[in-house]
Each structure stands twice: as C-alpha cells, then as structure tokens.
Amino acid sequence: MTAGEMVAATVPMVRTLNLEFLESTAERAVVRLPDQADFHNHVGGPHAGAMFTLAESASGAIVIAAFGDQLTRAVPLAVKAEIGYKKLAMGDVTATATLGRPVADVVAELDAGKRPEFPVAIQIQRADGAVTGEMTVVWTLRPNA
C-alpha cells in the first residue's frame, strides 16, 4: 500500500473530497483536488477549506512515506499549520509537499527519546501552473507510551 493509499484509507475527509494521490514518496507528495461544484466557494473555485484539506493531506502523505517505518513506535500528528491564499484558484488544483528536514535527523531525535518536530512545505497550483496558495504544516512524531 502506498502512503497516499494509506492516507485515503484512514482519513474519511480525503475520500469525501475525492482527492487523488499522484505521487507519494519521502521526497515529494503530489495530490489533486478535482474541480467539483459541491466544494466551490462564492466565486466558483475550490473552497478555502477544501484547499486546506488538500494541502494538509499532501503533507500527511509525505510524512507517511518518510516515516511509515516508525509507526510501531510513534504517531505522526500535525502540530500547527499556516496557509496563505495567493491567487484565485479555479478548476482542478494540485498540492505538492516537500519535507523540511532530513528524515535521518528526525529519526535520530526519536531514537534519543525526544519528540521531533519538522515542517512540511506545500504549494497549491492551478492547472496553468500558477501558485494559488502556500502552506506549512509542522508535524511531530509522538512516541508511543
């Protein structure tokens, strides 16, 4: 099961929005929100909440891809998120997530008994390539009790 499939299987909101996981590796995750009238805002583009969920889901996919081998000893949790809406989004939008710290550094902190935090940066783009939003989600790996 890929990281994207795992996120889709365990997070009902992903299925509600019909998010499509195009790529999910430890280096990059790409997720598409298809254009759906049920999730439009007052100007006919994707609602801000749908775009937030899209970007957060892309960040979750990269976290699972990068740290899936740590799930027996730690739970990944989003700590905080910040999003900026830059341009009007219309049609399909795609979120691309990248990890902000080397995997080995995060795992080393976990090995040392710490609760590591790490940022994931996400860009949201329209089909024409214009960046419509940018988001950062800070994640942690909370050690199991």
Side-chain angles (χ1 to χ4, degrees):
M1 181 179 287
T2 69
E5 290 167 341
M6 181 180 260
V7 172
T10 58
V11 182
M13 190 63 176
V14 167
R15 297 187 305 277
T16 297
L17 290 176
N18 301 306
L19 299 183
E20 301 167 357
F21 290 82
L22 307 178
E23 183 180 338
S24 51
T25 68
E27 290 75 40
R28 192 170 102 127
V30 182
V31 183
R32 181 173 52 228
L33 171 65
D35 187 27
Q36 302 164 85
D38 285 348
F39 304 116
H40 282 176
N41 58 20
H42 61 291
V43 293
H47 188 277
M51 289 194 298
F52 183 99
T53 302
L54 166 70
E56 195 274 342
S57 297
S59 77
I62 200 169
V63 168
I64 295 299
F67 302 107
D69 61 339
Q70 303 300 317
L71 296 180
T72 58
R73 65 182 187 141
V75 176
L77 298 169
V79 174
K80 62 183 172 180
E82 183 174 344
I83 191 166
Y85 300 100
K86 307 293 184 187
K87 290 186 179 198
L88 184 61
M90 298 296 281
D92 292 354
V93 288
T94 303
T96 302
T98 54
L99 204 57
R101 286 185 63 198
V103 172
D105 292 356
V106 174
V107 173
E109 278 188 35
L110 190 61
D111 289 342
K114 297 180 183 173
R115 182 175 169 165
E117 290 190 0
F118 51 93
V120 176
I122 308 101
Q123 274 200 336
I124 305 168
Q125 294 178 283
R126 300 186 301 226
D128 67 2
V131 175
T132 63
E134 294 176 329
M135 184 173 179
T136 300
V137 180
V138 175
W139 285 83
T140 189
L141 295 179
R142 186 191 74 201
N144 294 336

